[in-house]
Amino acid sequence: MAVVATLSKGYDLDYIWKQVDRSPVKDAAGYYIQASESGGEPPGRWWGPGAKALGFEPGQTVERMPYDLLFGERKAPDGTRLGRSPDGRRKAADLYAQLLAAEPHATAERKRELRTEAVRRARQSPLFFDLTISFSKSISIFHASLGENARLARQDGDREGDEYWSDLVDEVDDMIWEAVHAGFAYFQREAGYTRTGSHNTRVHGRETGQWHEADLAVAHWLQHTSRDGDMQLHVHSQIAHVARTATDGKWRAPDSLGYNEHIGAVAAIVSQHLEEALTARFGLEWTARDDGHGFEIKGIDGEMMRAFSSRRASITADLRGRAARFEQRYGRAPSQRELAHLAQASNFKTRNPKHGALDLGQAHAGWADKLARTLGVSLASVAPSVWHSQSGRADPRTHGADGTVLTELELSRAAQKAIALAQQEKSAWTRADVIKYLGRALPRSGMDPAAVAVLLEDLADRALASEFDPVTCLEAPEPAEVPASLLRADGRSVYQRHGGTRYATCAQLAMEERMAAQARADDAPRVTRSQAVRELGADLARRARRARRAGYAHRQRAARGPGRRRAGRADRRPARVSDQRSSRSREDPGAGRGRPYLGRGRARTGDRHNPVPVGPQHPGRRSAGVL
């Protein structure tokens, strides 16, 4: 999968507008050829049924005033309030004033950072969620090569060449937009939900509120460069933190907890859609990436991609240093989870701020010069060298015009590989995980891009139905038949959270059962304390000091008794429930009998005067099983 999708909370409304060209709309190639004084990136576009409900047509240009009303104040263009306004704004303003007072000479860029930091400290709800879709480096280079040809033709006064290459840039941009819309059509259907009712209590582990379908409002922004100025096509998709509930038309905060489950599936759909479209139009061929995460354009080698991956190089260099220092300090290599934390720290440390609008024309000339100096290759020659055409110009048909389809054998192999990858990554996985790995396994053949999302979802459903490998659903069925009035469009009860259904292969479950049986056997292998300490990297001396301190504190509390406190603490905290109940018990020894005793020390059941400790021999204690 040559597309990477990431999700983050958004608090800064000004960031995206710094790079936007606010001059009259130009054609797509124009953003490569000339930059205006106010910015270089194309304007944003509205998308989604929620945006349409507010009067924004799909593809309509995003204007600053309605943007600020929706994302900053949660208001419609006419000023009507949409749900609750963002909380914590006054506290955030006070924190910002304090931070600014500590740095009175802060620059405009630093003030923006302080404002964002104040919002985070105030625990203000996010203004939006930014789902960033970043395309592969080979696609970015191919796109830049088309733009370079258009720029050179315009500089030479070649009107015919300018029109030809500009049309190709427009075509690829349209392919990008169509792929992003296909991915968000899936995201809207699978992750567009709001919560109604009370979700503060649980019955048998399930929340008592309901989940209903909701219409999302999204602003898409296509951008061409990374923070280090390298060519890097990516789309910022800002999802407003307010959505229109389909059942009653009210605007509520969307259930963003379900977003992360579907990020990988969105990337798979966007990747497959765009790469099939490029294959059908230009006859491109694809080669598998070394890391197994999808494909790159054949003919654009790793050396060329590394030349424009300075951001990745800086992160990798910083991460290696952090990993070396970790190993030197702890005497072992970092785990995968620790390595992920180190990588995130490297990402933030090496991140360069974007200072105002980027002159894309100047950046484009710099890319061409860099490629010529480092590899002796003309940037303008890259695109014609990788498409299949005898004339050196992209024919309007080429590969895939005959409606290429994958064979059943290819589909079966891709599904089996996707299930194996999902099971290798997680012990239990979801339908979205299968779609994600199908995007990495399915070959690119130039098939109809519009059928890609349908194929991915259909193939995932067939895989979950054990058509290719035995698969088991790990979710228990509803104890009673759900009335039709309480069913959503996805077939689940409104009292069930959308998505989240887990699956596992039968082979995985059988292996876990064998492991559990072996672990419970009397002659099962055992690990000594010293071996466990060595393998886990634990510090026995530190643990012993903590145990001694905990034991000393426990003895001190026992010596004082349940109703006594240290001198000087009574005026610093209110009496605990146990202290209040102790005073009532002295007045009435029968008070509170039969109720749990909420005192200090171990949890107890029974009454105040006849406590029953909960230990391994008590039926209230559950034994821990080995999974």
Side-chain angles (χ1 to χ4, degrees), residues 330 332 529-530 532-543:
Y330 297 102
R332 61 178 178 85
R529 180 179 176 83
S530 59
V533 168
R534 183 171 61 256
E535 294 296 329
L536 297 175
D539 188 344
L540 272 184
R542 184 179 181 184
R543 288 178 177 273

Side-chain angles (χ1 to χ4, degrees), residues 28-57:
Y31 293 102
Y32 272 115
I33 298 163
Q34 59 184 8
S36 67
E37 295 180 356
S38 59
E41 296 285 14
R45 300 185 182 186
W46 290 108
W47 181 91
K52 190 171 183 178
L54 295 173
F56 304 123
E57 292 298 323

Side-chain angles (χ1 to χ4, degrees), residues 85-105:
S85 59
D87 53 354
R89 301 181 68 178
R90 177 169 295 182
K91 183 179 180 182
D94 295 339
L95 287 172
Y96 173 68
Q98 297 174 10
L99 294 173
L100 193 59
E103 301 183 36
H105 304 293

Side-chain angles (χ1 to χ4, degrees), residues 14-22 31 35-36 38-44 109 112 221-227 234 236 352-360:
D14 297 327
Y15 168 78
I16 199 68
W17 290 93
K18 288 190 172 186
Q19 293 82 38
V20 174
D21 188 342
R22 304 184 192 180
Y31 293 102
S36 67
S38 59
E41 296 285 14
E109 177 69 20
R112 184 185 68 82
W221 308 81
L222 173 62
Q223 300 199 333
H224 298 81
T225 63
S226 69
R227 288 179 175 268
H234 61 282
H236 287 282
N352 294 324
K354 289 188 176 181
H355 300 287
L358 177 70
D359 187 335
L360 278 173

Side-chain angles (χ1 to χ4, degrees), residues 1 3 5 47-48 131 133 135 175-192 216 218 220 235 237 239 259 262-274 435 449-450 452-454 456-457:
M1 183 169 53
V3 171
W47 181 91
L131 201 169
I133 301 172
F135 299 94
M175 294 176 190
I176 292 174
W177 285 118
E178 291 173 3
V180 171
H181 292 164
F184 266 82
Y186 165 87
F187 188 81
Q188 162 66 48
R189 186 173 62 256
E190 298 294 336
L216 302 177
V218 184
H220 293 302
V235 176
S237 300
I239 307 167
Y259 285 176
H262 301 285
I263 301 306
V266 170
I269 293 172
V270 173
S271 174
Q272 188 96 17
H273 194 289
L274 176 59
I435 297 176
V452 166
V454 177
L456 287 172
E457 294 196 62

Side-chain angles (χ1 to χ4, degrees), residues 315-337:
I315 292 176
T316 302
D318 186 81
L319 178 59
R320 286 174 178 170
R322 291 176 183 271
R325 291 192 295 272
F326 182 98
E327 189 168 359
Q328 183 179 7
R329 178 178 180 181
Y330 297 102
R332 61 178 178 85
S335 65
Q336 290 296 323
R337 186 173 183 178

Side-chain angles (χ1 to χ4, degrees), residues 251-319:
W251 291 82
R252 299 179 174 89
D255 185 19
S256 56
L257 293 177
Y259 285 176
N260 279 295
E261 178 184 342
H262 301 285
I263 301 306
V266 170
I269 293 172
V270 173
S271 174
Q272 188 96 17
H273 194 289
L274 176 59
E275 290 163 14
E276 296 289 1
L278 290 172
T279 303
R281 176 64 180 88
F282 298 101
L284 299 180
E285 294 183 359
W286 303 86
T287 181
R289 291 167 56 99
D290 294 337
D291 58 8
H293 292 179
F295 305 88
E296 299 285 358
I297 297 175
K298 187 176 181 179
I300 300 180
D301 58 22
E303 190 175 7
M304 186 181 299
M305 289 187 282
R306 284 190 294 271
F308 296 104
S309 301
S310 55
R311 174 94 176 110
R312 172 54 54 190
S314 59
I315 292 176
T316 302
D318 186 81
L319 178 59

Side-chain angles (χ1 to χ4, degrees), residues 376-400:
V377 177
S378 167
L379 180 60
S381 68
V382 174
S385 69
V386 297
W387 70 42
H388 287 184
S389 175
Q390 298 295 331
S391 63
R393 297 172 73 87
D395 299 328
R397 67 89 213 107
T398 75
H399 190 44

